[in-house]
Structures are given as structure tokens and as C-alpha cells.
Amino acid sequence: MAELQLQQTAYAYRNKYQTVQALKGVDYQFESGRFYALVGRSGSGKTTLLSLLAGLDFPTEGKVLFNGKPTNELDCDEYRRDDVAVIYQSYNLFPLLTVLENVTYPLELKKTPLPEAKETAKEKLLSVGLGEEYLKRFPAMLSGGEQQRVAIARALAGGAKIILADEPTGNLDEENGAVVVSILQRLAHEEGYCVIVVTHDMGIAERADEVIRLSDGRIVPNETAAEAG
């Protein structure tokens, strides 16, 4: 069974003046061990879709299923803590916490004993190429690429097997962006994560297992959607 599945998923933003249909009956399956790129012009529905997959909002029509169960029937605090992690373009690290403390944080939320939490955090940091010399540094002391790797390590530390990334290379130069993409690709192919990346970077799309193109709230076929990228 697919870990995440969209079934006629639709979402509308409403206010007293208008209704904007951001997603229009989207169907798709996301599976473990795959690296997905979600592309499309601004306003195509990418960010809305990522928000629904993360359980930050719920469809106004249709369903988002996690292991066969609609997300609006889940304990979404638990879902976001244990099953899905979001990585942002702006890193979202805590500026007054060290690298080690940032990565330990999700484990502390799960009441993991501190010695165990620190060991797990160190392992995850090492897995993204950040060793002992980084542990006591603060985010402001790191490059953008290093901060994004800390954010990835923090996502991994929480134990989630679904990684959602919103423009993870948007603030990075080409070299650091390539390192981040390689890490995400390895997580999918070698460690069995389901990795879904929203991106404008067609270099990421070229390395993805599947490219999902959105246009006007709908998935459009790749072969006819060159203009949607």
C-alpha cells in the first residue's frame, strides 16, 4: 500500500468575497524508496498540496490517506511528530540553540531520555556530513548549506519516514544545492524514505524518480507540460 495517497483531493480558499480553487480533484500515490519532484508555476497548487500532505490542513473535497487512513481522522500532532517531517527553504532552525540542541529537540518532544537523544542526534548529523566540530555551533555560525543539512538531520532524528521539502535549495548556491539533493536522493534510494520536494529547480526534477507537474490545481502529463515548469 502506498504510504501517502491522494484521492480526488481538492482544496478551496474562501473568504467573503471569493472562492479560489487551489487544487482540483488530484489523484496520486507516493511510495517509500522514491524521490518525487513537485513542479509548476507560482499559483499552480504546489504549496497547498505540500500543506495537505503534511497534515497542516485538510482537503475541502476528497481525501489524503496515510497508510490507508484519511489525515483528518488522524491525531495530526502525532502524525506531524512521528510520521512526516517538513524541511523549509529558510531552514527554520532555532537561532539560540546549538546544532546539537536543534537536532535533539524533536526527540525531547517525544520524551526520549537525553543521553539517547544526543546520541541519535549525533548519528543523524554525521549521516549528513556534519561531525563533532559542528555540535556546539549556533545556526548563525553556519553556511546556508550547513544549516539545511542540520534541518535534514533534525527531520531524520524525529523518526519520520516521509520527508517533505519546500524549495530546499532555494537559498543555496549550485554546489551546496547539489549536496542537499544528493542527501535527499540517498535517503530515498538507500534508506527507504518517501521524499517529496517542491521545487522550481529543474536540476532537482532531472534527478527525481517521478516528476509531478501541477498547472491550475491539476496534475498535467509531463510530455505535454513543458510550459508548467
Side-chain angles (χ1 to χ4, degrees):
M1 178 184 294
E3 286 194 4
L4 278 175
Q5 186 173 0
L6 306 171
Q7 288 187 348
Q8 284 296 293
T9 303
Y11 188 85
Y13 295 94
R14 295 187 175 94
N15 59 37
K16 63 181 181 179
Y17 301 109
Q18 64 178 343
T19 297
V20 177
Q21 198 73 33
L23 289 174
K24 304 172 182 176
V26 176
D27 291 299
Y28 211 81
Q29 292 186 349
F30 300 94
E31 299 176 353
S32 298
R34 305 284 287 172
F35 180 26
Y36 300 87
L38 186 57
V39 303
R41 292 177 177 170
S42 296
S44 62
K46 305 186 306 297
T47 300
T48 298
L49 182 52
L50 199 75
S51 180
L52 297 180
L53 292 172
L56 297 170
D57 214 334
F58 305 112
T60 48
E61 296 178 44
K63 298 176 182 178
V64 176
L65 302 174
F66 171 66
N67 287 340
K69 188 169 184 178
T71 52
N72 61 356
E73 296 178 14
L74 299 174
D75 179 333
C76 275
D77 288 336
E78 185 177 290
Y79 172 64
R80 291 190 294 268
R81 185 180 65 239
D82 297 339
D83 301 308
V84 63
V86 185
I87 299 164
Y88 296 95
Q89 178 177 344
S90 56
Y91 323 127
N92 282 21
L93 300 178
F94 298 110
L96 300 182
L97 298 184
T98 66
V99 165
L100 182 62
E101 289 167 341
N102 264 281
V103 180
T104 303
Y105 180 74
L107 293 161
E108 294 184 65
L109 291 179
K110 298 171 77 167
K111 310 298 183 184
T112 304
L114 189 56
E116 180 184 340
K118 286 184 176 180
E119 283 307 308
T120 298
K122 289 177 184 178
E123 289 173 10
K124 299 307 180 185
L125 283 163
L126 193 58
S127 77
V128 297
L130 299 176
E132 289 278 345
E133 67 273 21
Y134 288 92
L135 300 184
K136 295 183 179 180
R137 297 183 188 179
F138 292 92
M141 301 165 68
L142 305 177
S143 69
E146 289 165 346
Q147 289 188 62
Q148 193 61 286
R149 283 189 275 166
V150 174
I152 294 171
R154 184 174 61 184
L156 301 179
K161 295 300 288 185
I162 298 169
I163 304 295
L164 307 176
D166 190 3
E167 298 285 359
T169 63
N171 286 337
L172 305 180
D173 59 32
E174 185 174 348
E175 181 179 354
N176 279 300
V179 170
V180 167
V181 174
S182 292
I183 291 169
L184 295 173
Q185 195 174 38
R186 173 176 57 78
L187 290 173
H189 294 165
E190 298 180 19
E191 300 188 35
Y193 287 82
C194 175
V195 179
I196 304 169
V197 178
V198 167
T199 185
H200 285 97
D201 184 347
M202 295 313 295
I204 294 179
E206 289 171 0
R207 297 177 66 176
D209 300 310
E210 298 182 38
V211 178
I212 304 154
R213 296 180 182 269
L214 280 175
S215 180
D216 192 29
R218 293 187 173 91
I219 293 176
V220 292
N222 286 332
E223 63 271 16
T224 62
E227 71 281 3

